[in-house]
Coordinates of all heavy atoms in Angstrom, one line a residue:
M263 N 0.8 -1.2 0.0 CA 0.0 0.0 0.0 C 0.9 1.3 0.0 O 1.8 1.3 0.8 CB -0.9 0.0 1.2 CG -2.3 -0.2 0.9 SD -3.5 -0.1 2.2 CE -2.7 -0.3 3.7
G264 N 0.5 2.2 -0.9 CA 1.3 3.4 -0.9 C 0.8 4.4 0.2 O -0.1 4.1 0.9
H265 N 1.5 5.5 0.3 CA 1.1 6.5 1.2 C -0.3 7.1 1.1 O -1.0 7.3 2.0 CB 2.1 7.7 1.2 CG 3.2 7.6 2.2 ND1 3.0 7.6 3.5 CD2 4.5 7.3 2.0 CE1 4.2 7.4 4.1 NE2 5.1 7.2 3.2
D266 N -0.7 7.2 -0.2 CA -2.1 7.8 -0.4 C -3.1 6.9 0.1 O -4.1 7.3 0.7 CB -2.3 8.0 -1.9 CG -1.5 9.2 -2.4 OD1 -1.0 10.0 -1.6 OD2 -1.4 9.4 -3.6
A267 N -3.0 5.6 -0.1 CA -4.0 4.6 0.4 C -4.1 4.7 1.9 O -5.1 4.6 2.4 CB -3.6 3.2 -0.1
I268 N -2.9 4.7 2.5 CA -2.9 4.8 4.0 C -3.6 6.1 4.5 O -4.4 6.1 5.4 CB -1.4 4.7 4.5 CG1 -0.9 3.3 4.3 CG2 -1.4 5.0 6.0 CD1 0.6 3.1 4.5
N269 N -3.3 7.2 3.8 CA -3.9 8.5 4.2 C -5.4 8.4 4.1 O -6.1 9.0 4.9 CB -3.3 9.6 3.3 CG -1.9 10.0 3.8 OD1 -1.4 9.5 4.8 ND2 -1.2 10.7 3.0
V270 N -5.9 7.8 3.0 CA -7.3 7.7 2.8 C -8.0 6.9 4.0 O -9.0 7.3 4.5 CB -7.7 7.1 1.5 CG1 -9.2 6.8 1.4 CG2 -7.3 8.1 0.4
L271 N -7.3 5.8 4.4 CA -7.9 5.0 5.4 C -7.8 5.6 6.8 O -8.7 5.6 7.6 CB -7.1 3.7 5.5 CG -7.4 2.7 4.3 CD1 -6.5 1.5 4.4 CD2 -8.9 2.3 4.3
M272 N -6.6 6.2 7.1 CA -6.4 6.7 8.5 C -6.7 8.2 8.6 O -7.0 8.6 9.7 CB -4.9 6.5 8.8 CG -4.4 5.1 8.7 SD -5.2 3.9 9.8 CE -4.6 4.5 11.4
G273 N -6.7 8.9 7.5 CA -6.9 10.3 7.6 C -5.5 11.0 7.8 O -4.8 10.7 8.7
A274 N -5.2 11.9 7.0 CA -3.9 12.6 7.1 C -4.2 13.9 7.8 O -5.3 14.4 8.0 CB -3.4 12.9 5.7
S275 N -3.1 14.6 8.2 CA -3.2 15.9 8.8 C -3.7 16.9 7.8 O -3.2 16.8 6.6 CB -1.8 16.3 9.4 OG -1.9 17.7 9.7
P276 N -4.6 17.8 8.1 CA -5.1 18.7 7.2 C -4.1 19.8 6.8 O -4.4 20.6 6.0 CB -6.4 19.3 7.8 CG -6.2 19.1 9.3 CD -5.3 17.9 9.4
G277 N -3.0 19.9 7.6 CA -2.0 20.9 7.3 C -2.1 22.0 8.4 O -3.1 22.3 9.0
A278 N -0.9 22.6 8.6 CA -0.7 23.6 9.6 C -1.7 24.8 9.5 O -2.2 25.3 10.5 CB 0.7 24.1 9.7
D279 N -1.9 25.2 8.2 CA -2.7 26.4 8.1 C -4.2 26.2 8.5 O -4.8 27.0 9.1 CB -2.7 27.0 6.6 CG -3.0 25.9 5.6 OD1 -2.8 24.7 5.9 OD2 -3.4 26.2 4.5
V280 N -4.7 25.0 8.2 CA -6.0 24.6 8.6 C -6.1 24.5 10.1 O -7.1 25.0 10.7 CB -6.5 23.3 7.9 CG1 -7.8 22.8 8.5 CG2 -6.7 23.5 6.4
M281 N -5.1 23.8 10.7 CA -5.1 23.7 12.2 C -5.1 25.1 12.9 O -5.8 25.3 13.8 CB -3.9 22.9 12.6 CG -3.7 21.5 12.0 SD -5.0 20.4 12.5 CE -4.3 19.7 13.9
T282 N -4.3 25.9 12.3 CA -4.2 27.3 12.9 C -5.5 28.0 12.8 O -5.9 28.7 13.7 CB -3.0 28.1 12.2 OG1 -1.8 27.3 12.3 CG2 -2.8 29.4 12.9
K283 N -6.1 27.9 11.7 CA -7.4 28.6 11.4 C -8.5 28.2 12.4 O -9.2 28.9 13.0 CB -7.8 28.4 10.0 CG -8.6 29.6 9.4 CD -9.1 29.3 8.0 CE -8.1 29.6 6.9 NZ -8.7 29.4 5.6
I284 N -8.5 26.8 12.6 CA -9.6 26.3 13.5 C -9.3 26.7 14.9 O -10.2 27.1 15.6 CB -9.6 24.7 13.4 CG1 -10.1 24.3 12.0 CG2 -10.5 24.1 14.5 CD1 -10.0 22.8 11.7
K285 N -8.0 26.6 15.3 CA -7.6 27.0 16.7 C -7.9 28.5 16.9 O -8.4 28.9 18.0 CB -6.1 26.8 16.9 CG -5.8 25.3 17.2 CD -4.3 25.2 17.4 CE -3.9 23.7 17.6 NZ -2.5 23.5 17.6
D286 N -7.7 29.3 15.9 CA -7.9 30.7 16.0 C -9.4 31.0 16.2 O -9.7 31.9 17.1 CB -7.4 31.4 14.7 CG -7.0 32.8 14.9 OD1 -6.1 33.0 15.7 OD2 -7.5 33.7 14.2
V287 N -10.2 30.4 15.5 CA -11.7 30.6 15.6 C -12.1 30.2 17.0 O -12.9 30.9 17.7 CB -12.5 29.8 14.6 CG1 -14.0 29.9 14.9 CG2 -12.2 30.3 13.2
C288 N -11.6 29.0 17.5 CA -12.0 28.6 18.9 C -11.5 29.5 19.9 O -12.3 29.9 20.9 CB -11.4 27.2 19.2 SG -12.1 25.9 18.1
E289 N -10.3 30.0 19.8 CA -9.7 30.9 20.8 C -10.4 32.2 20.9 O -10.5 32.8 22.0 CB -8.2 31.2 20.5 CG -7.3 30.2 21.1 CD -5.9 30.3 20.6 OE1 -5.6 31.3 19.8 OE2 -5.1 29.4 20.9
N290 N -11.0 32.7 19.8 CA -11.6 34.0 19.8 C -13.1 34.0 19.8 O -13.7 35.0 19.5 CB -11.0 34.8 18.6 CG -9.6 35.0 18.7 OD1 -9.1 35.7 19.6 ND2 -8.8 34.5 17.7
F291 N -13.7 32.8 20.0 CA -15.1 32.7 20.0 C -15.7 33.2 21.3 O -15.3 32.9 22.4 CB -15.5 31.3 19.7 CG -16.9 31.2 19.0 CD1 -17.0 31.6 17.7 CD2 -18.0 30.8 19.8 CE1 -18.3 31.5 17.1 CE2 -19.2 30.7 19.2 CZ -19.4 31.0 17.8
P292 N -16.8 34.0 21.2 CA -17.5 34.5 22.4 C -17.9 33.4 23.3 O -18.4 32.4 22.9 CB -18.7 35.2 21.8 CG -18.5 35.5 20.4 CD -17.5 34.5 19.9
R293 N -17.7 33.6 24.6 CA -18.1 32.7 25.7 C -17.2 31.4 25.7 O -17.5 30.6 26.6 CB -19.6 32.3 25.6 CG -20.4 33.6 25.9 CD -21.9 33.2 26.1 NE -22.5 32.9 24.9 CZ -23.8 32.7 24.8 NH1 -24.6 32.8 25.8 NH2 -24.4 32.4 23.6
V294 N -16.3 31.2 24.8 CA -15.4 30.0 24.9 C -14.2 30.4 25.7 O -13.5 31.4 25.3 CB -15.0 29.5 23.5 CG1 -13.9 28.5 23.6 CG2 -16.2 29.0 22.8
K295 N -14.0 29.8 26.8 CA -12.9 30.1 27.7 C -11.6 29.3 27.5 O -10.6 29.6 28.1 CB -13.3 30.0 29.2 CG -14.7 30.6 29.5 CD -14.7 31.4 30.7 CE -16.0 32.1 31.0 NZ -16.1 33.4 30.4
G296 N -11.7 28.3 26.7 CA -10.5 27.5 26.4 C -11.0 26.3 25.6 O -12.2 26.1 25.4
F297 N -10.0 25.6 25.2 CA -10.3 24.3 24.4 C -9.2 23.3 24.6 O -8.1 23.7 24.9 CB -10.7 24.6 23.0 CG -9.5 25.1 22.2 CD1 -8.7 24.2 21.4 CD2 -9.1 26.4 22.1 CE1 -7.7 24.6 20.7 CE2 -8.0 26.9 21.4 CZ -7.3 26.0 20.7
H298 N -9.5 22.1 24.4 CA -8.5 21.0 24.4 C -9.0 19.9 23.5 O -10.1 19.9 22.9 CB -8.2 20.6 25.8 CG -9.4 20.0 26.6 ND1 -9.8 20.7 27.7 CD2 -10.1 19.0 26.4 CE1 -10.9 19.9 28.1 NE2 -11.1 18.9 27.3
K299 N -8.2 18.8 23.5 CA -8.5 17.6 22.7 C -8.9 18.0 21.3 O -9.9 17.4 20.7 CB -9.7 16.8 23.4 CG -9.2 15.9 24.5 CD -10.2 14.9 24.7 CE -9.7 13.9 25.8 NZ -10.8 13.0 26.2
F300 N -8.2 19.0 20.7 CA -8.5 19.3 19.3 C -7.9 18.3 18.4 O -6.7 18.1 18.5 CB -8.0 20.8 19.1 CG -7.9 21.1 17.7 CD1 -9.1 21.1 16.9 CD2 -6.8 21.5 17.1 CE1 -9.0 21.4 15.5 CE2 -6.7 21.9 15.7 CZ -7.9 21.8 15.0
R301 N -8.7 17.8 17.5 CA -8.2 16.9 16.5 C -8.8 17.2 15.1 O -9.9 17.7 15.0 CB -8.6 15.5 16.8 CG -8.0 14.9 18.1 CD -8.4 13.4 18.2 NE -9.9 13.2 18.1 CZ -10.5 12.1 18.2 NH1 -9.8 11.0 18.4 NH2 -11.8 12.0 18.1
A302 N -8.0 17.1 14.1 CA -8.5 17.3 12.7 C -7.8 16.3 11.8 O -6.7 16.0 12.0 CB -8.3 18.7 12.3
R303 N -8.6 15.8 10.9 CA -7.9 14.9 9.9 C -8.5 15.2 8.5 O -9.7 15.7 8.4 CB -8.0 13.5 10.3 CG -9.4 12.9 10.4 CD -9.5 11.6 11.0 NE -10.8 10.9 10.8 CZ -11.9 11.2 11.5 NH1 -11.9 12.2 12.4 NH2 -13.0 10.6 11.2
R304 N -7.8 14.8 7.5 CA -8.2 15.0 6.2 C -8.4 13.7 5.5 O -7.5 12.9 5.6 CB -7.2 15.9 5.4 CG -7.6 16.2 4.0 CD -6.6 17.2 3.4 NE -5.2 16.8 3.5 CZ -4.7 15.9 2.6 NH1 -5.5 15.4 1.6 NH2 -3.5 15.5 2.7
V305 N -9.5 13.5 4.9 CA -9.7 12.3 4.1 C -10.0 12.7 2.7 O -11.1 13.3 2.5 CB -10.8 11.4 4.7 CG1 -11.0 10.1 3.8 CG2 -10.5 11.0 6.1
G306 N -9.1 12.5 1.7 CA -9.3 13.0 0.4 C -9.3 14.5 0.5 O -8.4 15.1 1.0
S307 N -10.4 15.2 0.0 CA -10.4 16.6 0.0 C -11.2 17.1 1.2 O -11.4 18.3 1.4 CB -11.0 17.2 -1.3 OG -12.3 16.7 -1.4
R308 N -11.8 16.1 2.0 CA -12.7 16.5 3.1 C -11.9 16.5 4.4 O -11.1 15.7 4.7 CB -13.8 15.6 3.2 CG -14.7 15.6 1.9 CD -16.0 14.9 2.0 NE -15.8 13.5 2.1 CZ -16.8 12.6 2.3 NH1 -18.0 13.1 2.5 NH2 -16.6 11.3 2.4
I309 N -12.3 17.5 5.3 CA -11.7 17.6 6.6 C -12.7 17.4 7.7 O -13.9 17.8 7.6 CB -11.1 19.1 6.8 CG1 -10.0 19.3 5.7 CG2 -10.6 19.3 8.2 CD1 -9.6 20.7 5.6
F310 N -12.3 16.6 8.7 CA -13.1 16.3 9.8 C -12.4 16.8 11.1 O -11.2 16.6 11.2 CB -13.4 14.7 9.9 CG -14.0 14.1 8.7 CD1 -13.3 13.8 7.6 CD2 -15.4 13.9 8.7 CE1 -13.9 13.3 6.5 CE2 -16.0 13.4 7.6 CZ -15.2 13.0 6.4
A311 N -13.2 17.4 12.0 CA -12.5 17.9 13.2 C -13.4 17.7 14.4 O -14.6 17.6 14.3 CB -12.2 19.4 13.0
D312 N -12.8 17.6 15.5 CA -13.5 17.7 16.8 C -12.7 18.3 17.9 O -11.5 18.3 17.9 CB -14.1 16.3 17.2 CG -13.0 15.3 17.4 OD1 -12.2 15.3 18.4 OD2 -12.8 14.4 16.5
V313 N -13.4 19.0 18.7 CA -12.8 19.8 19.8 C -13.6 19.9 21.0 O -14.9 19.9 20.9 CB -12.4 21.2 19.2 CG1 -13.7 22.0 18.8 CG2 -11.6 22.0 20.2
H314 N -13.0 19.9 22.2 CA -13.7 20.2 23.4 C -13.5 21.7 23.8 O -12.4 22.1 23.8 CB -13.1 19.4 24.6 CG -13.4 17.9 24.5 ND1 -13.2 17.0 25.5 CD2 -13.8 17.1 23.4 CE1 -13.5 15.8 25.1 NE2 -13.8 15.8 23.8
V315 N -14.6 22.4 24.0 CA -14.5 23.8 24.4 C -15.0 23.9 25.8 O -15.9 23.3 26.3 CB -15.3 24.8 23.5 CG1 -14.7 24.7 22.1 CG2 -16.7 24.5 23.5
L316 N -14.4 24.9 26.6 CA -14.7 25.1 27.9 C -15.6 26.4 28.1 O -15.2 27.4 27.5 CB -13.4 25.3 28.8 CG -12.5 24.1 28.7 CD1 -11.2 24.5 29.4 CD2 -13.1 22.9 29.3
V317 N -16.7 26.3 28.8 CA -17.5 27.4 29.0 C -17.8 27.6 30.5 O -17.5 26.7 31.3 CB -18.9 27.3 28.3 CG1 -18.7 27.2 26.8 CG2 -19.7 26.1 28.8
D318 N -18.3 28.8 30.8 CA -18.7 29.1 32.2 C -19.6 28.0 32.7 O -20.6 27.7 32.1 CB -19.4 30.5 32.2 CG -19.6 31.0 33.6 OD1 -19.9 30.2 34.5 OD2 -19.5 32.2 33.8
P319 N -19.3 27.4 33.9 CA -20.2 26.3 34.5 C -21.6 26.8 34.7 O -22.6 26.0 34.8 CB -19.5 26.0 35.8 CG -18.2 26.5 35.7 CD -18.2 27.7 34.8
K320 N -21.8 28.1 34.8 CA -23.2 28.7 35.1 C -24.0 28.8 33.8 O -25.2 29.1 33.9 CB -23.0 30.0 35.8 CG -22.5 29.9 37.2 CD -22.6 31.2 38.0 CE -21.8 31.3 39.2 NZ -20.4 31.8 39.0
L321 N -23.4 28.6 32.7 CA -24.1 28.8 31.5 C -25.2 27.7 31.4 O -25.0 26.5 31.8 CB -23.1 28.6 30.3 CG -23.3 29.5 29.1 CD1 -23.3 30.9 29.4 CD2 -22.2 29.2 28.1
S322 N -26.4 28.1 30.9 CA -27.5 27.1 30.8 C -27.2 26.1 29.7 O -26.4 26.3 28.9 CB -28.8 27.8 30.6 OG -28.8 28.3 29.2
V323 N -27.9 25.0 29.8 CA -27.8 24.0 28.7 C -28.1 24.6 27.4 O -27.5 24.4 26.4 CB -28.7 22.8 29.0 CG1 -28.7 21.8 27.8 CG2 -28.3 22.1 30.3
K324 N -29.2 25.4 27.4 CA -29.6 26.1 26.1 C -28.5 27.0 25.6 O -28.2 26.9 24.4 CB -30.8 26.9 26.4 CG -31.4 27.7 25.2 CD -32.7 28.4 25.7 CE -33.1 29.5 24.7 NZ -32.2 30.6 24.6
D325 N -27.9 27.8 26.4 CA -26.8 28.6 26.0 C -25.5 27.9 25.6 O -24.9 28.2 24.6 CB -26.4 29.6 27.1 CG -27.4 30.7 27.3 OD1 -28.3 30.9 26.4 OD2 -27.4 31.4 28.3
S326 N -25.2 26.8 26.3 CA -24.1 26.0 25.9 C -24.3 25.4 24.6 O -23.4 25.3 23.7 CB -23.9 24.9 27.0 OG -23.8 25.4 28.2
H327 N -25.5 24.9 24.3 CA -25.8 24.3 23.0 C -25.7 25.3 21.9 O -25.2 25.0 20.9 CB -27.2 23.7 23.1 CG -27.6 23.1 21.8 ND1 -28.6 23.8 21.0 CD2 -27.2 22.0 21.1 CE1 -28.7 23.0 19.9 NE2 -27.9 22.0 19.9
E328 N -26.1 26.5 22.3 CA -26.0 27.6 21.3 C -24.5 27.9 20.9 O -24.2 28.1 19.7 CB -26.7 28.9 21.8 CG -27.0 29.9 20.8 CD -27.7 31.1 21.4 OE1 -28.9 31.0 21.7 OE2 -27.1 32.1 21.6
V329 N -23.7 27.9 21.9 CA -22.3 28.2 21.7 C -21.7 27.1 20.7 O -21.0 27.4 19.8 CB -21.4 28.2 23.0 CG1 -19.9 28.2 22.8 CG2 -21.8 29.4 23.9
A330 N -22.0 25.8 21.0 CA -21.5 24.7 20.2 C -22.0 24.8 18.8 O -21.2 24.7 17.8 CB -22.0 23.4 20.8
T331 N -23.3 25.1 18.6 CA -23.9 25.2 17.3 C -23.3 26.3 16.5 O -22.9 26.1 15.3 CB -25.4 25.4 17.4 OG1 -25.9 24.3 18.2 CG2 -26.1 25.3 16.0
K332 N -23.2 27.5 17.1 CA -22.6 28.6 16.4 C -21.2 28.5 16.1 O -20.7 28.9 15.0 CB -22.8 29.9 17.3 CG -24.2 30.4 17.3 CD -24.3 31.7 18.0 CE -25.8 32.3 17.9 NZ -26.0 33.5 18.7
L333 N -20.4 27.8 17.0 CA -19.0 27.6 16.7 C -18.8 26.6 15.6 O -18.0 26.8 14.7 CB -18.3 27.0 18.0 CG -16.8 26.7 17.9 CD1 -16.0 27.9 17.4 CD2 -16.3 26.2 19.2
E334 N -19.6 25.6 15.5 CA -19.6 24.6 14.4 C -19.9 25.3 13.1 O -19.2 25.1 12.1 CB -20.6 23.5 14.6 CG -20.2 22.5 15.7 CD -21.3 21.5 16.0 OE1 -22.3 21.4 15.3 OE2 -21.2 20.7 17.0
R335 N -20.9 26.2 13.1 CA -21.3 26.9 11.9 C -20.1 27.8 11.5 O -19.8 27.9 10.3 CB -22.5 27.7 12.2 CG -23.4 27.8 10.9 CD -24.7 28.5 11.3 NE -25.5 27.8 12.2 CZ -26.4 28.3 13.1 NH1 -26.6 29.6 13.1 NH2 -27.1 27.5 13.9
R336 N -19.5 28.5 12.4 CA -18.4 29.5 12.1 C -17.2 28.7 11.5 O -16.6 29.2 10.6 CB -18.0 30.2 13.4 CG -16.8 31.1 13.3 CD -17.0 32.5 12.7 NE -17.9 33.2 13.5 CZ -17.6 34.0 14.5 NH1 -16.3 34.1 14.9 NH2 -18.5 34.7 15.2
L337 N -16.9 27.6 12.1 CA -15.8 26.8 11.6 C -16.0 26.4 10.2 O -15.1 26.4 9.4 CB -15.5 25.6 12.6 CG -14.9 26.0 13.9 CD1 -14.9 24.8 14.9 CD2 -13.4 26.5 13.8
K338 N -17.2 25.9 9.9 CA -17.5 25.4 8.6 C -17.4 26.6 7.6 O -17.1 26.4 6.4 CB -18.9 24.8 8.6 CG -18.9 23.4 9.1 CD -20.2 22.7 9.0 CE -20.2 21.3 9.6 NZ -21.5 20.7 9.6
T339 N -17.8 27.8 8.0 CA -17.7 28.9 7.1 C -16.3 29.3 6.9 O -15.9 29.7 5.8 CB -18.5 30.1 7.8 OG1 -19.7 29.7 8.2 CG2 -18.6 31.3 6.8
K340 N -15.5 29.3 7.9 CA -14.1 29.7 7.8 C -13.1 28.7 7.1 O -12.2 29.1 6.5 CB -13.5 30.0 9.2 CG -14.1 31.2 9.9 CD -13.3 32.4 9.7 CE -13.9 33.7 10.3 NZ -13.1 34.9 10.1
V341 N -13.4 27.5 7.3 CA -12.5 26.4 6.8 C -13.2 25.7 5.6 O -14.2 25.0 5.9 CB -12.1 25.4 7.9 CG1 -11.1 24.4 7.3 CG2 -11.5 26.2 9.1
S342 N -12.8 26.0 4.4 CA -13.4 25.3 3.3 C -13.1 23.8 3.4 O -12.0 23.4 3.9 CB -12.9 25.9 2.0 OG -11.5 26.0 2.0
N343 N -14.0 23.0 2.9 CA -13.9 21.5 2.9 C -14.0 20.9 4.3 O -13.8 19.7 4.5 CB -12.5 21.0 2.3 CG -12.4 21.4 0.9 OD1 -13.4 21.6 0.2 ND2 -11.2 21.7 0.5
L344 N -14.4 21.7 5.3 CA -14.6 21.2 6.6 C -16.0 20.5 6.6 O -17.1 21.2 6.6 CB -14.6 22.2 7.7 CG -14.7 21.8 9.1 CD1 -13.6 20.8 9.5 CD2 -14.7 23.0 10.1
T345 N -16.0 19.2 6.4 CA -17.3 18.5 6.2 C -18.0 18.3 7.5 O -19.2 18.4 7.6 CB -16.9 17.1 5.6 OG1 -16.2 17.3 4.4 CG2 -18.2 16.3 5.3
S346 N -17.2 17.9 8.5 CA -17.9 17.6 9.8 C -17.0 18.2 10.9 O -15.8 18.0 11.0 CB -18.0 16.1 9.9 OG -18.3 15.8 11.2
V347 N -17.7 18.8 11.8 CA -17.0 19.3 13.0 C -17.9 19.0 14.3 O -19.0 19.3 14.3 CB -16.5 20.8 13.0 CG1 -17.7 21.7 12.7 CG2 -15.8 21.2 14.2
V348 N -17.3 18.4 15.3 CA -18.0 18.0 16.5 C -17.5 18.9 17.6 O -16.3 18.8 17.9 CB -17.9 16.5 16.8 CG1 -18.7 16.2 18.1 CG2 -18.5 15.7 15.7
V349 N -18.3 19.7 18.2 CA -17.9 20.6 19.3 C -18.6 20.0 20.6 O -19.8 19.9 20.7 CB -18.3 22.0 19.1 CG1 -18.0 22.9 20.3 CG2 -17.6 22.6 17.9
H350 N -17.7 19.6 21.5 CA -18.2 19.1 22.8 C -18.0 20.2 23.8 O -16.9 20.7 24.0 CB -17.3 17.8 23.1 CG -17.4 17.3 24.5 ND1 -18.3 16.4 24.8 CD2 -16.6 17.6 25.6 CE1 -18.1 16.1 26.1 NE2 -17.1 16.8 26.6
V351 N -19.0 20.6 24.5 CA -19.0 21.6 25.5 C -18.8 21.1 26.9 O -19.5 20.1 27.3 CB -20.2 22.5 25.4 CG1 -20.2 23.6 26.4 CG2 -20.4 23.1 24.0
E352 N -17.9 21.6 27.7 CA -17.8 21.2 29.1 C -17.5 22.4 29.9 O -17.0 23.5 29.4 CB -16.8 20.1 29.2 CG -15.4 20.5 28.8 CD -14.5 19.3 28.8 OE1 -14.6 18.5 27.8 OE2 -13.7 19.2 29.7
P353 N -17.9 22.4 31.2 CA -17.6 23.5 32.1 C -16.2 23.7 32.4 O -15.4 22.7 32.6 CB -18.4 23.2 33.4 CG -18.5 21.7 33.4 CD -18.5 21.2 31.9
V354 N -15.7 24.9 32.6 CA -14.4 25.2 33.1 C -14.3 24.7 34.5 O -15.2 25.0 35.3 CB -14.1 26.7 33.1 CG1 -12.8 27.1 33.7 CG2 -14.2 27.3 31.7
R355 N -13.3 24.0 34.8 CA -13.1 23.5 36.2 C -12.2 24.5 36.9 O -11.2 25.0 36.4 CB -12.4 22.1 36.2 CG -13.3 21.1 35.7 CD -12.6 19.7 35.8 NE -13.3 18.7 35.2 CZ -13.2 18.4 33.9 NH1 -12.4 19.0 33.2 NH2 -14.0 17.4 33.4
R356 N -12.6 24.8 38.1 CA -12.0 25.9 38.9 C -10.9 25.3 39.8 O -10.2 26.1 40.5 CB -13.0 26.7 39.7 CG -14.0 27.3 38.8 CD -14.5 28.6 39.3 NE -15.5 29.3 38.4 CZ -15.2 30.0 37.4 NH1 -13.9 30.3 37.1 NH2 -16.1 30.5 36.6
C357 N -10.8 24.0 39.9 CA -9.8 23.4 40.8 C -8.4 23.8 40.4 O -8.1 23.9 39.2 CB -10.0 21.9 40.9 SG -9.5 21.0 39.4
K358 N -7.5 23.9 41.4 CA -6.1 24.3 41.0 C -5.1 23.3 41.3 O -4.0 23.5 41.6 CB -5.8 25.6 41.8 CG -6.5 26.8 41.3 CD -6.2 28.1 42.1 CE -6.9 29.3 41.5 NZ -6.6 30.5 42.3
S359 N -5.6 22.0 41.3 CA -4.7 20.9 41.7 C -3.6 20.8 40.6 O -2.5 20.2 40.9 CB -5.5 19.6 41.7 OG -5.8 19.2 40.4
G360 N -3.8 21.3 39.4 CA -2.8 21.3 38.4 C -2.8 20.0 37.6 O -2.2 19.9 36.6
K361 N -3.6 19.0 38.1 CA -3.7 17.8 37.3 C -4.8 17.9 36.3 O -6.0 18.1 36.6 CB -4.0 16.6 38.2 CG -2.8 16.2 39.0 CD -3.0 14.8 39.6 CE -1.7 14.4 40.3 NZ -1.8 13.1 40.9
K362 N -4.5 17.8 35.0 CA -5.5 17.9 34.0 C -6.1 16.5 33.7 O -5.3 15.5 33.4 CB -4.9 18.4 32.7 CG -4.7 19.9 32.7 CD -4.2 20.4 31.4 CE -3.9 21.9 31.4 NZ -3.3 22.3 30.2
R363 N -7.3 16.4 33.8 CA -8.0 15.2 33.4 C -8.6 15.4 32.0 O -9.5 16.2 31.8 CB -9.1 14.8 34.4 CG -8.6 13.8 35.4 CD -9.8 13.2 36.1 NE -9.8 13.8 37.5 CZ -10.9 13.8 38.2 NH1 -12.0 13.3 37.7 NH2 -10.9 14.2 39.4
Q364 N -8.0 14.7 31.0 CA -8.6 14.9 29.7 C -9.1 13.6 29.1 O -8.6 12.6 29.4 CB -7.5 15.4 28.8 CG -7.0 16.8 29.2 CD -6.3 17.5 28.1 OE1 -6.0 16.9 27.1 NE2 -6.0 18.8 28.3
Ligands
ZN552 ZN1 -12.8 17.5 27.5

């Protein structure tokens, strides 16, 4: 199997510019306080991404859902060929133990 075949099966990196663009949108999105577990892969000409975003724990379910939906829409507008993006919303943890559970 050549590299192309493997890339189609496993998904290749979409490239630094796409990664930067997605991160940039997440970082500057209203009510998003942070993000992690960002992944993106390219299959053929299509890009698939998923990311966990952190929001205020006091935000209602309705508002959190709105943040996720709007962020998904914004990302698809900004990144051409972004076929699917899954935004998982979770509350910012205030503990200062320093141990990150991801
Ligand atoms: Zn998470």
Side-chain angles (χ1 to χ4, degrees):
M263 251 185 342
H265 267 292
D266 286 349
I268 292 167
N269 284 348
V270 168
L271 289 174
M272 306 297 292
S275 169
D279 52 336
V280 169
M281 302 295 272
T282 305
K283 212 184 271 184
I284 294 173
K285 283 181 186 173
D286 208 54
V287 172
C288 293
E289 266 168 13
N290 297 299
F291 205 73
R293 295 192 284 190
V294 170
K295 311 227 179 266
F297 66 95
H298 61 243
K299 277 199 178 175
F300 166 58
R301 296 185 306 180
R303 63 191 194 281
R304 182 173 57 79
V305 180
S307 62
R308 297 191 291 177
I309 296 165
F310 300 83
D312 58 75
V313 63
H314 290 197
V315 298
L316 304 172
V317 298
D318 190 322
K320 293 190 191 92
L321 219 56
S322 69
V323 174
K324 181 178 165 286
D325 286 346
S326 305
H327 177 253
E328 195 178 285
V329 169
T331 307
K332 283 185 175 172
L333 179 56
E334 285 173 11
R335 212 176 296 153
R336 171 83 61 88
L337 286 168
K338 282 183 181 176
T339 309
K340 290 266 177 181
V341 182
S342 49
N343 298 330
L344 187 61
T345 303
S346 166
V347 55
V348 177
V349 176
H350 166 89
V351 179
E352 60 190 78
V354 176
R355 289 186 189 86
R356 302 213 179 272
C357 69
K358 289 179 178 176
S359 72
K361 285 195 176 179
K362 279 184 185 173
R363 262 191 254 161
Q364 294 197 355

